[in-house]
Amino acid sequence: MKLIVEIKGFGPHVQDMDRRKFCRELNRETFLTAMGFQVISFAYDDVAQRPELCITLMRMVLARYTNHSEADAKITVADREIIRLACTLSRPIRPIDVSSHLGLDHRTAVKALGSLCDKHLFEGVTGTGGKRITRYVLKSSAINYL
């Protein structure tokens, strides 16, 4: 895998850019793609202020290059969509998030999230009383299933 990760600041890459510099930037990225590299660009502001978003996006890119085992057959389309939802939200998800996103009733959403916990892709977090699981945190290993 040939991967280039760039962190671009607003000033030098956008604000201070004229048409000639813009053309050179696009030609450079196209040349690198032609040479077999995948160029991943992050805004400096995102790296500095929202690193969890950058980490999630980077894991999603890297997941395309990991080998999946026979165990992947146990991961359903709904499981993958719930994992995608958790990545998109970039926070612990709740059954209501899954219900509204997939159009499921609450009980089915809870079962689906419980199944993902059993598969060690999510971890349940109890509420303030410590009795019921109210949120589910995506484990980093789940990114491999996107």
Side-chain angles (χ1 to χ4, degrees):
M1 168 174 55
K2 296 177 180 180
L3 184 65
I4 296 173
V5 179
E6 291 185 314
I7 300 172
K8 296 182 176 184
F10 180 78
H13 285 92
V14 178
Q15 188 176 14
D16 300 337
M17 192 174 279
D18 59 17
R19 287 183 173 274
R20 194 179 87 243
K21 287 181 184 177
F22 177 71
C23 289
R24 269 192 281 169
E25 175 71 12
L26 293 178
N27 290 336
R28 182 186 67 81
E29 287 184 15
T30 303
F31 173 78
L32 290 168
T33 301
M35 297 304 297
F37 290 92
Q38 181 174 357
V39 180
I40 307 297
S41 299
F42 291 102
Y44 175 80
D45 292 347
D46 281 340
V47 173
Q49 298 166 9
R50 292 182 296 276
E52 69 286 341
L53 172 65
C54 298
I55 290 167
T56 298
L57 292 171
M58 194 66 200
R59 284 181 177 156
M60 291 172 74
V61 169
L62 294 175
R64 293 177 44 204
Y65 299 99
T66 59
N67 293 328
H68 297 295
S69 66
E70 296 285 326
D72 292 350
K74 298 177 186 173
I75 304 299
T76 67
V77 173
D79 291 341
R80 290 181 200 277
E81 191 57 32
I82 293 169
I83 292 168
R84 265 191 211 93
L85 175 63
C87 289
T88 303
L89 295 176
S90 295
R91 62 167 172 76
I93 63 173
R94 302 163 300 157
I96 188 101
D97 298 325
V98 175
S99 294
S100 61
H101 184 70
L102 296 178
L104 303 172
D105 63 69
H106 181 77
R107 181 173 283 173
T108 305
V110 170
K111 281 184 181 180
L113 288 164
S115 172
L116 286 165
C117 287
D118 293 342
K119 295 172 185 176
H120 306 288
L121 300 175
F122 278 81
E123 184 176 334
V125 178
T126 57
T128 54
K131 293 181 181 181
R132 289 191 179 159
I133 295 175
T134 58
R135 294 169 289 143
Y136 296 82
V137 177
L138 183 68
K139 290 187 173 184
S140 60
S141 60
I143 303 300
N144 295 330
Y145 294 98
L146 290 177

